[in-house]
Amino acid sequence: RTAIVLFTRDLRVHDQPALAAACANAERVVPLFVLDPALAGRSPNRDRFLVQSLADLRESLRGRGGDLILRHGDPVAETIRLAGETGAEGIAVSADVSRYARRREIRLRAEADRHRLSLRLFPGLTVVDPGAVTPAGGDHYKVFTPYFRAWSTGEWRAEVATPRSVPLPSGIAVGRLPALPAGESPHAAAGGETAGRRLLRGWLGGIDRYDDIHDDLAADATSRLSPYLRFGCVSPLAVARAAGDRAGPFVRQLCWRDFHHQVAYAFPDLSTVAYRPTATEEWRYDADALAAWQEGRTGVPVVDAGMRQLRAEGWMHNRARLITAGFLTKQLGLDWRRGVEWFHRWLLDGDVANNSGNWQWVAGTGNDTKPYRRFNPVRQAHRFDPAGDYVRRWIPELESIPDGSIHEPWLRNETLPYPPPISA
Ligand code: FAD
């Protein structure tokens, strides 16, 4: 028997339930990735990370006697076509939450039925499946703390073994990897399971410090695993298990990721529609202010530092994301959807659930239990970058200011090559 494993954002061989099941149950396994033109070009940074991840996955599969078959086009049509060419009877795929992914899943099921192929969905994109942990009388948790309680004390699936061999049928055209896209951020991390696993191993050594310094902007002491989780180069479950303490501060962040996934699963419009429609939703339109925010020249150093880090690295520290997003929505009064779009273009970890879920949280239209909270960016800067080192790293115009007073350059009696702060 032959099975196709349709890879999507589960680009790994370890703890990959769909791949493991296919290897256990079929004599021949066809690992497939379809480059979908509908998804390409939204983020040059992620396009690059994806190709790097595919190259690494292909190497791993080749090392196991298999290969990664690459096709271009509609994933559903290409999967069905390849099933015909290889005589496959089954298709294995990881279940996903976004509207696009779920429509693809529904179409794939319809086509599989029509061609008398079996389609099996597998877990693996989150620690706990969306929909697996639900409150009494509801389909998803709207508040994080009770979700975390249920999530951390509930059953987790066992990790699956990495297949030793992936027996590819003979005679399939494997398909070429696309040329490596240029990306937009000069200092973006490189994709792939090998890089992700290496990062994880190194990270576990420093995990004890996480609680104390994860919010310190200059210390840069978070895991930076998010792009690898986004593309499934590391298994969220394996990361959570390796971290040990299920109720600990780092695993709690992985639970936030699951939390937003279960919200997106229940509320597929999360990127465009306010989750909590009762909140005030009167956004200003101000193209100049939006451009200043995007380009890191609002005149508020900590905001500009975050926005410049985003463009340079395709990643931003979580505390800086909170500050910059709060500044756009609560200080400038601009629509959170503009923030979703901009972040989605640059972030290597950009995904529908986490990006939109967090933006709505900050804007007060989402799951925050205190939707009217307002971060004061200057106070945040003094608290989380007391010596100003984070700002100095990203804003060379201000590097002559030696201490925390860098956060309020407007109070200084000197002319600096830096704009005055904008406001609504
Ligand atoms: P760590 O602190 O090491 O945390 C470990 C992992 O937990 C992360 O890799 C991530 O997968 C998860 N995590 C941590 N914080 C959150 C959170 N608040 N929500 C969901 N998951 C979390 N994260 C994304 O993965 N993709 C996004 O598109 C994204 N957009 C965001 C937009 C805004 C406005 C804000 C405020 C936050 C956003 N986040 C997003 C959440 C968070 O900022 C990043 O996950 C985190 O900074 C990634 O760095 P890290 O891997 O070093 O995190």
Side-chain angles (χ1 to χ4, degrees):
R1 294 193 335 200
T2 303
I4 291 183
V5 180
L6 176 61
F7 282 86
T8 53
R9 56 184 191 108
D10 45 10
L11 304 178
R12 61 178 186 266
V13 296
H14 78 279
D15 191 43
Q16 217 293 18
L19 177 66
C23 291
N25 299 323
E27 281 93 46
R28 288 167 302 274
V29 175
V30 185
L32 168 67
F33 188 87
V34 183
L35 291 146
D36 180 349
L39 295 180
R42 294 178 178 190
S43 163
N45 281 343
R46 283 200 303 284
D47 287 351
R48 181 175 170 87
F49 196 93
L50 170 67
V51 172
Q52 291 164 330
S53 301
L54 293 173
D56 187 63
L57 178 61
R58 176 170 259 185
E59 279 306 303
S60 300
L61 291 166
R62 285 184 175 168
R64 289 168 171 75
D67 209 324
L68 182 65
I69 308 304
L70 283 160
R71 295 287 183 268
H72 287 259
D74 170 31
V76 173
E78 292 303 320
T79 305
I80 301 294
R81 193 201 317 273
L82 192 62
E85 284 167 22
T86 57
E89 289 129 30
I91 302 164
V93 65
S94 301
D96 202 346
V97 299
S98 73
R99 160 159 288 161
Y100 189 81
R102 286 172 73 191
R103 285 200 176 139
R104 183 178 60 207
E105 218 169 87
I106 290 167
R107 286 197 300 121
L108 187 58
R109 180 161 306 285
E111 284 301 299
D113 286 351
R114 212 159 67 79
H115 290 84
R116 298 182 187 282
L117 302 165
S118 77
L119 172 68
R120 280 183 68 195
L121 298 179
F122 289 87
L125 301 194
T126 46
V127 178
V128 170
D129 284 356
V133 179
T134 49
D139 64 348
H140 71 292
Y141 276 92
K142 297 179 174 164
V143 176
F144 176 75
T145 309
Y147 178 72
F148 179 54
R149 213 174 296 126
W151 180 93
S152 55
T153 53
E155 282 264 338
W156 289 359
R157 70 172 171 83
E159 275 173 63
V160 299
T162 308
R164 285 217 196 100
S165 93
V166 181
L168 189 75
S170 54
I172 312 176
V174 293
R176 280 160 71 106
L177 270 176
L180 189 61
E184 288 189 293
S185 297
H187 304 296
E193 180 177 13
T194 307
R197 300 269 278 172
R198 196 183 310 124
L199 183 65
L200 174 61
R201 278 194 299 276
W203 160 247
L204 291 171
I207 199 169
D208 292 345
R209 302 187 311 154
Y210 184 81
D211 199 18
D212 292 336
I213 56 172
H214 71 274
D215 261 332
D216 183 322
L217 285 161
D220 201 355
T222 64
S223 71
R224 288 188 177 245
L225 283 167
S226 54
Y228 301 94
L229 288 160
R230 157 69 178 79
F231 284 92
C233 302
V234 293
S235 148
L237 179 78
V239 174
R241 285 201 189 279
D245 181 5
R246 275 193 186 203
F250 174 71
V251 175
R252 186 183 162 90
Q253 294 312 111
L254 294 170
C255 182
W256 267 110
R257 181 175 179 275
D258 278 19
F259 175 77
H260 290 302
H261 276 74
Q262 56 100 47
V263 171
Y265 182 71
F267 188 75
D269 287 326
L270 195 63
S271 305
T272 47
V273 178
Y275 177 81
R276 189 201 291 264
T278 50
T280 26
E281 271 243 77
E282 280 171 29
W283 308 107
R284 290 192 320 123
Y285 174 78
D286 183 340
D288 292 341
L290 179 62
W293 178 81
Q294 290 173 334
E295 289 159 19
R297 46 176 183 81
T298 65
V300 181
V302 73
V303 172
D304 293 343
M307 298 308 290
R308 293 186 197 185
Q309 178 177 34
L310 175 65
R311 286 167 66 132
E313 298 189 353
W315 185 88
M316 199 200 294
H317 192 284
N318 180 59
R319 180 52 54 182
R321 296 190 203 202
L322 291 166
I323 296 169
T324 54
F327 188 76
L328 185 81
T329 54
K330 303 259 167 115
Q331 266 85 26
L332 295 180
L334 301 187
D335 194 330
W336 54 271
R337 297 168 191 83
R338 301 293 84 74
V340 167
E341 289 156 8
W342 188 251
F343 272 33
H344 204 60
R345 163 169 163 193
W346 291 90
L347 282 175
L348 293 171
D349 62 33
D351 73 29
V352 170
N354 285 330
N355 191 28
S356 309
N358 275 290
W359 268 100
Q360 293 225 36
W361 189 93
V362 175
T365 59
N367 301 82
D368 191 356
T369 47
K370 298 183 197 133
Y372 299 103
R373 108 172 62 213
R374 239 175 118 95
F375 292 113
N376 176 319
V378 174
R379 223 177 299 138
Q380 290 270 312
H382 283 298
R383 182 158 168 216
F384 297 112
D385 185 30
D389 291 333
Y390 177 72
V391 165
R392 219 165 285 113
R393 194 175 300 155
W394 293 108
I395 309 197
E397 303 97 291
L398 299 177
E399 74 191 349
S400 63
I401 306 177
D403 51 27
S405 68
I406 197 171
H407 297 306
E408 293 163 281
W410 52 86
L411 298 181
R412 296 177 74 86
N413 223 349
E414 63 188 305
T415 314
L416 291 158
Y418 186 69
I422 60 167
S423 57

